[in-house]
Amino acid sequence: MKFGIYLPEVALRRKKCPVLYWLSGLTCTEQNFVSKAGAQRYAAEHGIIVVAPDTSPRGNNVPDSPDYDLGQGAGFYVNAKREPWAKHFRMYDYVAFELPALIESEFASSEARSISGHSMGGHGALVVALRNPGRYRSVSAFSPIVAPSQVPWGQKALAAYLGDDREAWKQYDAVELVGNASERLPLLVDQGGDDEFLNTQLRPQLLKEAGEKAGYSVQINMREGYDHSYYFIASFMREHMAFHAKVLT
Amino acid sequence: MKFGIYLPEVALRRKKCPVLYWLSGLTCTEQNFVSKAGAQRYAAEHGIIVVAPDTSPRGNNVPDSPDYDLGQGAGFYVNAKREPWAKHFRMYDYVAFELPALIESEFASSEARSISGHSMGGHGALVVALRNPGRYRSVSAFSPIVAPSQVPWGQKALAAYLGDDREAWKQYDAVELVGNASERLPLLVDQGGDDEFLNTQLRPQLLKEAGEKAGYSVQINMREGYDHSYYFIASFMREHMAFHAKVLT
């Protein structure tokens, strides 16, 4: 597994910096965020390490699908139960536990963690944070898939990786999880108003409604004129980094 | 010819924004700067339009070379005189006159211009600004080839595009031009101290010495630990944009 890591200058002197994990979207590798989001400057200012894992296992011996939204590049941050995926596609465990253990042993020596992501990675960030009370200090997402059980990308991936038992899907659905959250960590979403996937795959109003029903104050910023791209992410990266820094540093 | 353009919100309301031209380095297209430099946020804050042309003409009918440092992707911002390049490779005229005429007619309606660039594009920015007194308000460069007549990249390109007459090369050599500049526009260079091309292809001390000899105050910032990449550019883009904004806005 490859990952991108940004170490602010202060992290080279003392290994005590907090860590922001970033989960990328469909088709991305560990490189997209690193080269396009412009996060390093803000991470340097706040003294935050940023870690950007790949979106799936990779390699010739790893199962794949010809579709861009299943298999390599599309791990969906679940622990797969069905074949041929079950052996390698354990991205939930990887991003929530295995990778943090490595980072905290080698680079950070800090358990101050936050998590963020884009699209499929926004889904991953919300799920990982909501399922692990106390483990993360804050969570944010750009253009997240908030209800995979209710949209085509999510239904395809969850059926393939987990099978048809829709009860099992609930553990990977932020709209299902937000109502049962035992800890209400700060939660921020930014969503572009001109995002081509807004009404078909993302549907942030479902998260808003679930939050309101549960009395969980979820901040969702609709940004008119912005699309689904990394230009949108770069436009509001400073605000997301400041949001996490407030509780991390 | 393709180019990237960033229009700050204020430019959509009134066509009076100044323009910063950005010239990219070897192998780049109009996309590298647009997706990797993180300039848009600062351009938005200052109300500056940013225009990033391609680095050469392109296409199946355009001459090319198998080498990365000659032909398509390597126009070197000269008007070629030798075949097979002379017909298409007129990048000097394109970036200095043709493209600004188009931009100012379609997007800007302003003659407030500055110019910047990276590596081969830093060379281009310096040459275009120094050869056209009064046309640009400021010039900056990251890791520029300051003396193409004296380094392998430049010698190869100038010989191929212009021929062996070294007198003709002087019009495309910033170290030659800086001594004769009739207008001393603000000039800023940032150079990474760990740049692998520092002592072979870039040699910024030659520009420093030529500036000192001519009494032209040239600001060259050596940045220890930085390399030749777009990460270096992104790290100091805010400072370069502020440098240009001071005289553009």
Side-chain angles (χ1 to χ4, degrees), chain A residues 3-39:
Chain A
F3 60 88
I5 184 164
Y6 174 74
L7 294 170
E9 202 172 9
V10 62
L12 305 177
R13 295 196 301 271
R14 55 178 185 85
K15 286 185 163 185
K16 287 287 183 190
C17 290
V19 184
L20 176 67
Y21 293 88
W22 172 269
L23 307 185
S24 290
L26 288 167
T27 76
C28 289
T29 70
E30 82 289 349
Q31 287 296 316
N32 299 64
F33 179 79
V34 164
S35 55
K36 294 184 174 180

Side-chain angles (χ1 to χ4, degrees), chain B residues 39-147:
Chain B
Q40 291 92 338
R41 174 148 212 157
Y42 310 121
E45 287 169 3
H46 293 296
I48 294 173
I49 295 171
V50 182
V51 174
D54 202 346
T55 54
S56 77
R58 303 269 181 185
N60 292 333
N61 299 323
V62 172
D64 200 3
S65 133
D67 303 344
Y68 77 97
D69 53 2
L70 190 69
Q72 296 188 34
F76 251 85
Y77 306 104
V78 303
N79 291 333
K81 294 179 180 177
R82 284 187 67 213
E83 298 303 340
W85 315 107
K87 181 178 175 192
H88 289 96
F89 282 71
R90 301 188 60 79
M91 288 298 289
Y92 177 82
D93 278 354
Y94 174 68
V95 301
F97 305 110
E98 291 174 27
L99 182 59
L102 175 72
I103 297 298
E104 286 154 27
S105 137
E106 298 292 327
F107 300 103
S109 301
S110 162
E111 294 189 350
R113 306 175 198 96
S114 289
I115 190 162
S116 185
H118 174 234
S119 195
M120 175 183 76
H123 142 74
L126 293 169
V127 164
V128 166
L130 291 168
R131 280 179 60 174
N132 293 280
R135 190 163 168 80
Y136 297 89
R137 295 200 181 167
S138 50
V139 58
S140 78
F142 291 86
S143 334
I145 303 167
V146 300

Side-chain angles (χ1 to χ4, degrees), chain B residues 112-235:
Chain B
R113 306 175 198 96
S114 289
I115 190 162
S116 185
H118 174 234
S119 195
M120 175 183 76
H123 142 74
L126 293 169
V127 164
V128 166
L130 291 168
R131 280 179 60 174
N132 293 280
R135 190 163 168 80
Y136 297 89
R137 295 200 181 167
S138 50
V139 58
S140 78
F142 291 86
S143 334
I145 303 167
V146 300
S149 311
Q150 301 184 49
V151 302
W153 275 340
Q155 290 168 339
K156 177 175 177 176
L158 296 179
Y161 294 135
L162 302 178
D164 294 330
D165 174 15
R166 286 189 167 239
E167 276 304 305
W169 294 14
K170 290 184 177 175
Q171 287 299 305
Y172 294 107
D173 187 307
V175 163
E176 295 286 344
L177 293 167
V178 79
N180 303 316
S182 67
E183 182 226 24
R184 293 178 173 179
L185 80 171
L187 192 163
L188 168 67
V189 169
D190 271 87
Q191 172 62 55
D194 281 8
D195 187 323
E196 62 181 309
F197 304 112
L198 175 56
N199 295 316
T200 49
Q201 307 281 7
L202 308 176
R203 303 176 64 188
Q205 74 280 9
L206 294 175
L207 184 65
K208 186 163 179 283
E209 290 161 13
E212 281 168 1
K213 197 172 156 193
Y216 187 152
S217 170
V218 169
Q219 185 181 347
I220 301 181
N221 300 321
M222 289 299 296
R223 306 291 192 178
E224 289 314 312
Y226 286 90
D227 65 10
H228 198 68
S229 73
Y230 264 88
Y231 297 114
F232 171 51
I233 296 169
S235 299

Side-chain angles (χ1 to χ4, degrees), chain A residues 33-49:
Chain A
F33 179 79
V34 164
S35 55
K36 294 184 174 180
Q40 291 92 339
R41 176 146 210 159
Y42 310 121
E45 288 169 3
H46 294 295
I48 294 173
I49 295 170

Side-chain angles (χ1 to χ4, degrees), chain A residues 206-227:
Chain A
L206 294 175
L207 184 66
K208 186 164 179 283
E209 290 161 12
E212 281 167 1
K213 197 171 156 196
Y216 187 152
S217 170
V218 169
Q219 186 182 347
I220 301 180
N221 299 322
M222 289 298 296
R223 306 291 191 178
E224 289 316 312
Y226 287 90
D227 66 9

Side-chain angles (χ1 to χ4, degrees), chain A residues 34 41 45 231 235 238-239, chain B residues 34 41 231 235 238-239:
Chain A
V34 164
R41 176 146 210 159
E45 288 169 3
Y231 297 114
S235 298
R238 179 163 71 180
E239 287 75 4
Chain B
V34 165
R41 174 148 212 157
Y231 297 114
S235 299
R238 178 163 71 181
E239 287 75 5

Side-chain angles (χ1 to χ4, degrees), chain A:
Chain A
M1 296 298 297
K2 288 188 187 173
F3 60 88
I5 184 164
Y6 174 74
L7 294 170
E9 202 172 9
V10 62
L12 305 177
R13 295 196 301 271
R14 55 178 185 85
K15 286 185 163 185
K16 287 287 183 190
C17 290
V19 184
L20 176 67
Y21 293 88
W22 172 269
L23 307 185
S24 290
L26 288 167
T27 76
C28 289
T29 70
E30 82 289 349
Q31 287 296 316
N32 299 64
F33 179 79
V34 164
S35 55
K36 294 184 174 180
Q40 291 92 339
R41 176 146 210 159
Y42 310 121
E45 288 169 3
H46 294 295
I48 294 173
I49 295 170
V50 183
V51 174
D54 201 347
T55 54
S56 77
R58 303 268 181 186
N60 292 333
N61 299 323
V62 172
D64 201 3
S65 133
D67 303 344
Y68 76 96
D69 53 2
L70 192 67
Q72 295 188 32
F76 250 85
Y77 305 103
V78 303
N79 291 332
K81 293 180 180 176
R82 284 187 67 212
E83 297 305 336
W85 314 108
K87 181 178 175 192
H88 290 96
F89 282 70
R90 301 189 60 80
M91 288 297 290
Y92 176 82
D93 278 354
Y94 174 67
V95 300
F97 305 110
E98 291 174 28
L99 181 59
L102 175 73
I103 297 298
E104 286 154 28
S105 138
E106 298 292 326
F107 300 103
S109 300
S110 162
E111 293 190 350
R113 306 175 198 96
S114 288
I115 191 164
S116 185
H118 174 234
S119 195
M120 173 183 77
H123 143 74
L126 292 169
V127 164
V128 166
L130 291 168
R131 280 179 61 173
N132 293 281
R135 190 163 168 79
Y136 297 89
R137 295 199 182 166
S138 51
V139 58
S140 79
F142 290 86
S143 334
I145 303 166
V146 300
S149 310
Q150 302 184 50
V151 302
W153 275 341
Q155 290 167 340
K156 177 176 177 176
L158 296 180
Y161 294 135
L162 303 178
D164 294 330
D165 174 15
R166 286 188 166 239
E167 277 304 305
W169 294 14
K170 291 184 177 174
Q171 287 300 305
Y172 294 106
D173 188 307
V175 162
E176 295 286 344
L177 294 167
V178 79
N180 303 316
S182 67
E183 182 226 24
R184 293 179 173 180
L185 79 171
L187 192 162
L188 168 66
V189 170
D190 271 87
Q191 172 62 54
D194 281 7
D195 187 323
E196 62 182 309
F197 305 112
L198 175 56
N199 296 315
T200 50
Q201 307 280 9
L202 308 177
R203 302 176 65 187
Q205 74 280 8
L206 294 175
L207 184 66
K208 186 164 179 283
E209 290 161 12
E212 281 167 1
K213 197 171 156 196
Y216 187 152
S217 170
V218 169
Q219 186 182 347
I220 301 180
N221 299 322
M222 289 298 296
R223 306 291 191 178
E224 289 316 312
Y226 287 90
D227 66 9
H228 198 67
S229 74
Y230 263 88
Y231 297 114
F232 172 52
I233 296 169
S235 298
F236 296 100
M237 184 47 59
R238 179 163 71 180
E239 287 75 4
H240 278 242
M241 201 65 80
F243 167 79
H244 294 294
K246 204 157 57 175
V247 292
L248 276 177
T249 61

